[in-house]
Amino acid sequence: MSVSMRDLDPAFQGVGQKAGIELWRIENFKPVPVPQSSYGKFYTGDSYVILKTNALKSGALRHDIHCWLGNDTSQDEAGAAAIKTIELDAALGGRAVQYREVQGHETERFLSYFKPCIIPQSGGVASGFNHAKPVEHKTRMFVCQGKYMVHVKEVPFARSSLSHDDIFILDTAHKIFQFNGSNSSIQERAKALEVLQYIRDTYHDGKCDIATIEDGRLMSDAETGEFWGFLGGFAPLPRRTQTNGVLSTNTLPTKIFCVVKGQAELVDAEPLTRGLLDTNKCYILDCGVEIYVWLGRSTSLNERKAASGATEEYVRSQDRQKYHIICVIENFETVAFRSKFDSWPQSTAVTVSEDGRGKVAALLKRQGVNVKGLLKAAPTKEEPQPYIDCSGNLQVWRVNGQQKILLPVSDQSKFYTGDCYIYQYMYSGEDQEECLIGTWFGKQSIEEERISATSQANKMVESQKFLAAQLRVYEGREPMLFFAIFQSFMVLKGGLSDGYKKYILESELPYGTGIEEEVALFRVQGSGPENMQAIQLEPVASSLNSSYCYILHSGSSVFTWIGNLTTPEEQELVERQLDVIKPNMQSRLQKEGSESVEFWKMLGGKSEYPSQKTTTATESDPHLFSCTFSKGELKVTEIYNFNQDDLMTEDIYILDCHSSIFVWVGRQVDPKTRTQALVIAEKFLERDFLLEKLPLQTPLYIIMEASEPQFFTRFFTWDSTKSAMHGNSFQRKLSILKNGGRPTSNNKPKRRTPVSNGGRSGAVEQPQRSRSVTFSPDRVRVRGRSPAFVALASTFENPTVRHLSTPPPLETKIYPKSNGSDSSKPASRSTAIASLTATFEQPPRAKFIPRSIKVTSEPATKTETISNGDLKSSRIETPTIQKDAKEVETEDEEGLTLYPYECLTVSSTNPAPDINIFKRETYLSSAEFRAKFGMAKNAFYKLPKWKQNKLKMALYLF
């Protein structure tokens, strides 16, 4: 579309540059800006143009333009407003969605801008009216309709205006009454209370008594008698057969018209397909209550204005002026518009170039207008956050038929692709102990065990009185939160469950697990030590990818393969994972393009492999839907510009953020419907209401009211006291209203304690893993390490120790044999301690020994096993032995540039230039090296390579 400066109204120059609302009133056929203090105040004799700008997560700006027409506005003024809407879209680059709003029939999207409601006042400018000036209070009556957004209409102050179906507000000089029709819902009554509060704050300065009147209640109390007294006394209300103002659409078939020379010509099209729309033309799609205008990208501004005029003439000829008219631009069609077509290619809805907006920006820039916001904003690069305390207590069970087997600590992060797992994670929330119960389904797991896992997880949630949040995860679709809980996560080939083994046997497939594989290949991925995974793949060359790093091992041979497109941070994860997979073996580095013959031979020979990284769904702008589920059918209604007050305790809501689906269940929801929350989420994915084509394996969260975790409340401005209130939605909002706008809650949120899920025993099942809740960035947290090495790494925690010339005496844990079921674990810990502390056994030089500093070791964890449903536990005692470290003098290498420790760490904000990232420790001075490692450089390089890497990782030098 070509744009000329003379086609653009000067009032629209430089608009839409930041998120928010901008509003103009049409005066003498020109748009005049309305001051922000008057936003939401509309006059029945005027026409308005409203621009809503939204800043998306992608950095782009999305615009919605609304043309609001008062009931008393003139036809010429309404036509001018429609034309100005087209011009405003052109000024924004020609990609905004345009809505025509008629007083009393506004879209819910428009009403959401001015919550809780709009109440148009009499008066106008161009139509000859004068804006009404308030003199003294006039008694008025309003009818409120709507469960999500409230349509408010003034009705005659008479008893005949009342009905059983709606809610009415009687506004008198000293008291405001709300009359609740007997057929109205609790949610409608709660929303009407927001209107009542708006009237009290706007017209009574917040100083006015309120009263609620129930339909059918006789003169039983003073307030009811007072209400009927204003109306001349009580009388039965008549039953109405029709609801005024409702637009009927049942008898209107869908039609499509092509606009030719300003006239709408019917197009014979059955069925409707995307191919019918020509980029050089404009079309009218009549869908009943909604009439769409589709504008091709190649059409001119005058052609678009002609299409708008043809649409106005079309609705006028059919006496349907109150119906919604929505104008969409090619490639920027709404979901609702695309859903009207039988087929709409996914590739069509792509982002086009910034040419249109750039041309407009260039024109405005020559006029001296700041056009920064007209161009696409740079996306904010935010590191994904788990929004959960990662230091809680984790328990993991593997599903075997109808049973679940508790896993030991050493195996709770090792999953098999042929199995299903249940996990329970207890952690500290903002004001109570939180619990997350989840399931993980391997790609090759059988359906019977997936059903069993879901059933057992549901029983665990039920045992906690539905206070725990739920998460369902499929292999390959894990969210960031899942990896944050498990930290170092590994997926192995094969499976251990009886069901999987039976399936393999019946299918005559070779059985084996990742541990038993003669040749094993692991893809290493993640963003850091707190989030790293090793995924076992088929040991063939086609499994490689230039965007990843890999570990390949067979017998005594271990290779690490570095793809050319990987980052240094990703390469460092290989050594960390190698310490988990093959901790006692030295690996041979293979860089892409310079592999050895032995490497390719182990993979069965060279072959082609991809280079693009596997993409995962990223979080996008959230959409909130209210759900109605009956007889297996799901109906949803989108809530625009939502906030916490839109969550009604009687309903179920779905929050879709593209990468995950959240189901929020109110406490007043029917118990039978509450248990179907997961089914509702699955139906939502099947129906694809937003046409996102999300896979059915998308992560699903089930959130219960009053137990909302931070990873859900972050989408709102959240007040936990509101969700903790008792009563239905109407009772809660009435209590807040009478309490001066403050929530009231009799019960302070209680911290929940873990419950037993290990069998029939009533004994409390202790957590398998206990992690410190500190979040200090200086804390050394090494994943996938033995407890001995964690204790060793903790010596570097204290910042006062780091700059000493000699390390402090090391406190070492000794793990005696435990009488628990896993007797091999204490032995391995003792072995690890013995090997790790061997280098520190030489006597130190007394001359340099500082004062003795005690190092506090982590408390011993309890290990549980399940035997015949009973829980047995054994506490591992951890006596400590103080050892001294040896210091050996050595000289710095000649010609080597030295740097301070702070410039050499992997997370340094001022990194040293031109260094070998795999040899960071060599750039330390001798004194600082001894202070950090507790030994001289020559002693350090005599250690096995894997020991060197462990020590370097503890100091963030690897």
Side-chain angles (χ1 to χ4, degrees):
M1 178 184 67
S2 58
V3 180
S4 173
M5 278 303 300
R6 62 175 177 270
D7 296 327
L8 303 178
D9 196 290
F12 298 145
Q13 292 185 0
V15 302
Q17 299 189 29
K18 60 182 180 179
I21 297 175
E22 297 172 80
L23 195 149
W24 298 265
R25 182 174 58 221
I26 303 299
E27 299 181 10
N28 297 322
F29 309 109
K30 295 290 185 181
V32 177
V34 174
Q36 192 169 358
S37 59
S38 297
Y39 284 8
K41 297 180 181 178
F42 295 91
Y43 293 89
T44 60
D46 289 334
S47 297
Y48 296 82
V49 175
I50 300 93
L51 170 63
K52 178 66 166 67
T53 303
N54 296 288
L56 306 181
K57 283 182 175 291
S58 63
L61 295 176
R62 190 194 71 198
H63 299 101
D64 293 308
I65 304 173
H66 300 260
C67 171
W68 188 88
L69 308 177
N71 286 337
D72 299 323
T73 190
S74 66
Q75 184 174 330
D76 291 340
E77 196 173 63
I83 295 300
K84 294 304 176 183
T85 299
I86 299 290
E87 292 183 17
L88 176 56
D89 172 58
L92 295 169
R95 62 187 62 196
V97 181
Q98 304 159 43
Y99 302 83
R100 191 188 72 152
E101 312 283 353
V102 178
Q103 180 183 341
H105 301 278
E106 297 88 352
T107 62
E108 294 199 344
R109 181 188 296 273
F110 177 79
L111 292 176
S112 71
Y113 304 155
F114 308 100
K115 289 182 178 180
C117 65
I118 61 171
I119 303 179
Q121 304 177 38
S122 299
V125 176
S127 54
F129 290 95
N130 292 318
H131 291 164
K133 296 181 180 180
V135 182
E136 61 180 18
H137 190 275
K138 176 184 176 182
T139 300
R140 299 181 296 172
M141 182 180 285
F142 302 93
V143 61
C144 301
Q145 298 173 324
K147 180 180 176 180
Y148 310 111
M149 297 297 163
V150 187
H151 292 263
V152 180
K153 178 182 178 182
E154 186 172 355
V155 295
F157 171 40
R159 187 173 54 206
S160 59
S161 296
L162 300 176
S163 74
H164 297 293
D165 300 321
D166 298 317
I167 299 166
F168 297 83
I169 293 178
L170 178 61
D171 179 18
T172 68
H174 302 291
K175 183 176 285 190
I176 306 174
F177 298 87
Q178 176 171 315
F179 176 84
N180 298 323
S182 57
N183 296 333
S184 62
S185 67
I186 293 175
Q187 297 93 320
E188 290 173 319
R189 299 177 186 186
K191 281 296 179 183
L193 278 177
E194 297 179 4
V195 178
L196 186 150
Q197 182 177 359
Y198 171 80
I199 292 174
R200 185 176 73 169
D201 295 342
T202 304
Y203 301 105
H204 299 270
D205 296 326
K207 302 174 182 178
C208 185
D209 293 333
I210 62 172
T212 58
I213 310 299
E214 297 300 324
D215 185 11
R217 182 189 299 174
L218 302 181
M219 315 292 284
S220 56
D221 60 68
E223 290 181 336
T224 301
E226 185 180 1
F227 170 78
W228 288 110
F230 280 104
L231 298 171
F234 173 79
L237 301 181
R239 292 188 177 275
R240 296 184 180 178
T241 56
Q242 292 183 346
T243 303
N244 296 331
V246 176
L247 305 179
S248 176
T249 62
N250 295 332
T251 59
L252 299 176
T254 301
K255 300 178 182 178
I256 188 168
F257 302 83
C258 180
V259 179
V260 181
K261 297 181 179 180
Q263 300 296 319
E265 297 182 357
L266 182 64
V267 176
D268 186 13
E270 186 65 34
L272 290 177
T273 62
R274 170 64 178 84
L276 292 171
L277 305 177
D278 187 347
T279 187
N280 298 301
K281 297 180 180 179
C282 299
Y283 295 84
I284 300 172
L285 182 65
D286 186 353
C287 301
V289 70
E290 294 175 331
I291 299 172
Y292 291 91
V293 183
W294 185 87
L295 309 177
R297 291 291 300 178
S298 300
T299 55
S300 66
L301 182 60
N302 288 333
E303 288 174 323
R304 297 183 180 188
K305 291 181 178 180
S308 176
T311 308
E312 293 284 349
E313 180 61 32
Y314 173 74
V315 298
R316 193 161 43 247
S317 65
Q318 299 194 5
D319 193 23
R320 295 164 61 192
Q321 291 94 327
K322 295 181 179 180
Y323 284 55
H324 300 151
I325 298 178
I326 304 172
C327 183
V328 297
I329 311 296
E330 181 182 3
N331 291 330
F332 294 94
E333 298 87 353
T334 63
V335 171
F337 177 82
R338 288 184 278 135
S339 67
K340 308 299 181 184
F341 290 75
D342 289 357
S343 63
W344 193 280
Q346 187 75 9
S347 58
T348 302
V350 295
T351 304
V352 298
S353 66
E354 295 284 323
D355 291 346
R357 182 172 297 185
K359 292 178 181 178
V360 174
L363 290 171
L364 297 178
K365 189 174 183 179
R366 288 198 291 269
Q367 301 296 320
V369 179
N370 181 5
V371 296
K372 180 180 179 181
L374 287 180
L375 299 177
K376 181 176 179 179
T380 55
K381 291 185 178 180
E382 297 181 356
E383 193 70 24
Q385 299 294 327
Y387 297 100
I388 194 171
D389 178 6
C390 299
S391 58
N393 300 319
L394 177 67
Q395 290 176 285
V396 183
W397 295 264
R398 178 172 54 80
V399 176
N400 189 31
Q402 298 302 314
Q403 300 176 340
K404 63 181 190 292
I405 302 172
L406 184 65
L407 301 183
V409 178
S410 58
D411 292 339
Q412 63 184 11
S413 292
K414 298 177 182 178
F415 285 14
Y416 288 87
T417 187
D419 291 334
C420 296
Y421 296 83
I422 301 173
Y423 49 92
Q424 175 179 279
Y425 185 60
M426 306 294 297
Y427 62 98
S428 297
E430 293 183 346
D431 50 18
Q432 64 182 4
E433 192 74 15
E434 302 286 358
C435 178
L436 174 66
I437 295 175
T439 54
W440 184 91
F441 301 152
K443 289 181 179 179
Q444 298 181 17
S445 60
I446 62 175
E447 185 64 25
E448 290 80 359
E449 291 192 339
R450 294 182 181 183
I451 296 173
S452 174
T454 302
S455 175
Q456 294 186 69
N458 289 340
K459 290 178 181 178
M460 292 170 64
V461 174
E462 187 176 354
S463 70
Q464 297 205 17
K465 299 180 180 180
F466 295 97
L467 295 177
Q470 279 184 268
L471 170 60
R472 190 195 71 179
V473 175
Y474 280 85
E475 179 187 349
R477 297 284 177 179
E478 298 89 349
M480 172 66 179
L481 178 141
F482 178 87
F483 289 139
I485 293 173
F486 284 86
Q487 300 166 358
S488 179
F489 186 68
M490 183 183 300
V491 178
L492 300 170
K493 293 170 58 178
L496 303 178
S497 71
D498 295 338
Y500 174 77
K501 294 177 181 178
K502 181 180 178 182
Y503 164 75
I504 292 296
L505 183 63
E506 293 176 350
S507 303
E508 298 182 354
L509 298 173
Y511 173 75
T513 62
I515 300 299
E516 300 170 353
E517 291 284 339
E518 180 180 350
V519 180
L521 177 67
F522 291 88
R523 183 180 70 213
V524 178
Q525 59 191 40
S527 59
E530 309 291 332
N531 170 25
M532 59 180 185
Q533 304 90 48
I535 313 299
Q536 188 174 11
L537 307 173
E538 288 296 327
V540 293
S542 58
S543 297
L544 300 177
N545 188 312
S546 301
S547 297
Y548 293 95
C549 300
Y550 294 80
I551 296 173
L552 175 66
H553 71 82
S554 176
S556 60
S557 300
V558 180
F559 294 94
T560 56
W561 187 84
I562 308 299
N564 287 334
L565 302 181
T566 57
T567 64
E569 293 76 14
E570 292 171 329
Q571 295 169 18
E572 291 181 8
L573 291 181
V574 176
E575 289 297 331
R576 296 180 182 272
Q577 284 290 11
L578 189 62
D579 185 56
V580 178
I581 298 173
K582 288 291 181 180
N584 299 319
M585 298 182 65
Q586 181 67 38
S587 66
R588 294 164 58 185
L589 178 63
Q590 305 285 305
K591 292 187 176 181
E592 183 178 5
S594 59
E595 299 88 350
S596 65
V597 175
E598 184 181 355
F599 174 82
W600 290 120
K601 183 178 180 181
M602 195 178 295
L603 289 176
K606 286 186 179 182
S607 68
E608 294 184 358
Y609 52 83
S611 60
Q612 294 183 347
K613 180 168 287 190
T614 304
T615 57
T616 56
T618 56
E619 186 174 289
S620 63
D621 299 275
H623 295 261
L624 182 68
F625 297 87
S626 175
C627 302
T628 302
F629 188 65
S630 177
K631 298 180 180 179
E633 288 294 324
L634 177 64
K635 296 181 180 179
V636 301
T637 302
E638 184 167 3
I639 312 297
Y640 302 101
N641 297 293
F642 59 84
N643 55 40
Q644 183 183 356
D645 291 335
D646 291 315
L647 300 176
M648 299 287 189
T649 186
E650 298 79 16
D651 292 331
I652 292 179
Y653 293 83
I654 285 182
L655 186 71
D656 180 357
C657 63
H658 189 73
S659 60
S660 299
I661 301 294
F662 296 84
V663 183
W664 184 88
V665 183
R667 283 192 290 182
Q668 299 286 330
V669 171
D670 176 74
K672 183 178 180 181
T673 306
R674 182 187 303 152
T675 59
Q676 295 178 308
L678 188 60
V679 177
I680 292 174
E682 292 173 340
K683 288 284 186 182
F684 181 84
L685 288 173
E686 290 175 5
R687 293 288 303 276
D688 193 18
F689 292 99
L690 291 178
L691 303 182
E692 300 174 283
K693 296 191 180 300
L694 293 180
L696 299 180
Q697 295 78 25
T698 299
L700 301 179
Y701 294 85
I702 310 297
I703 309 296
M704 297 296 171
E705 184 184 11
S707 299
E708 294 89 349
Q710 185 189 5
F711 54 80
F712 174 78
T713 60
R714 65 188 176 93
F715 295 102
F716 303 81
T717 300
W718 196 261
D719 184 352
S720 59
T721 57
K722 287 184 177 180
S723 61
M725 293 181 68
H726 297 293
N728 59 39
S729 298
F730 174 72
Q731 293 167 340
R732 294 181 187 184
K733 294 202 174 183
L734 183 61
S735 175
I736 293 174
L737 191 58
K738 290 185 176 181
N739 195 43
R742 296 184 301 275
T744 57
S745 178
N746 297 327
N747 295 335
K748 185 178 179 180
K750 297 180 180 180
R751 301 181 73 86
R752 294 195 296 275
T753 56
V755 300
S756 172
N757 295 298
R760 297 181 182 179
S761 172
V764 176
E765 186 173 283
Q766 296 297 328
Q768 285 187 303
R769 177 175 64 183
S770 178
R771 291 177 274 181
S772 170
V773 295
T774 178
F775 292 96
S776 171
D778 295 328
R779 180 168 183 255
V780 178
R781 301 184 64 178
V782 185
R783 302 294 172 225
R785 307 294 181 262
S786 66
F789 185 73
V790 173
L792 176 65
S794 68
T795 61
F796 301 100
E797 284 188 18
N798 195 329
T800 62
V801 182
R802 293 180 178 175
H803 300 290
L804 298 176
S805 58
T806 333
L810 182 66
E811 184 179 60
T812 312
K813 293 182 181 179
I814 293 185
Y815 294 86
K817 276 202 170 185
S818 168
N819 57 5
S821 60
D822 191 1
S823 60
S824 62
K825 286 172 58 179
S828 63
R829 288 171 175 164
S830 301
T831 303
I833 283 294
S835 61
L836 280 171
T837 57
T839 49
F840 302 107
E841 293 178 352
Q842 300 178 9
R845 295 175 59 179
K847 180 179 179 180
F848 296 99
I849 295 180
R851 62 182 178 86
S852 179
I853 300 176
K854 297 283 187 179
V855 180
T856 304
S857 60
E858 296 184 1
T861 59
K862 297 180 181 179
T863 305
E864 288 77 35
T865 58
I866 295 181
S867 176
N868 299 324
D870 296 328
L871 297 174
K872 297 180 181 179
S873 64
S874 62
R875 182 181 299 273
I876 301 175
E877 302 295 337
T878 58
T880 60
I881 296 177
Q882 297 292 335
K883 292 189 178 181
D884 293 332
K886 178 184 177 181
E887 178 184 17
V888 181
E889 299 278 4
T890 187
E891 296 295 332
D892 295 326
E893 295 181 25
E894 294 184 2
L896 184 68
T897 304
L898 302 180
Y899 295 97
Y901 168 78
E902 291 75 16
C903 296
L904 294 171
T905 61
V906 294
S907 58
S908 174
T909 57
N910 183 27
D914 302 325
I915 63 171
N916 184 344
I917 61 174
F918 297 102
K919 292 286 187 179
R920 295 176 186 269
E921 75 285 353
T922 60
Y923 300 92
L924 290 170
S925 66
S926 298
E928 194 166 23
F929 189 96
R930 287 192 299 271
K932 297 299 179 183
F933 287 90
M935 66 184 77
K937 289 186 179 181
N938 55 4
F940 173 82
Y941 289 117
K942 291 179 181 179
L943 296 175
K945 187 68 174 179
W946 65 273
K947 284 189 180 181
Q948 295 179 22
N949 291 341
K950 281 188 176 183
L951 293 174
K952 289 195 294 183
M953 279 186 269
L955 290 168
Y956 299 101
L957 292 173
F958 193 77

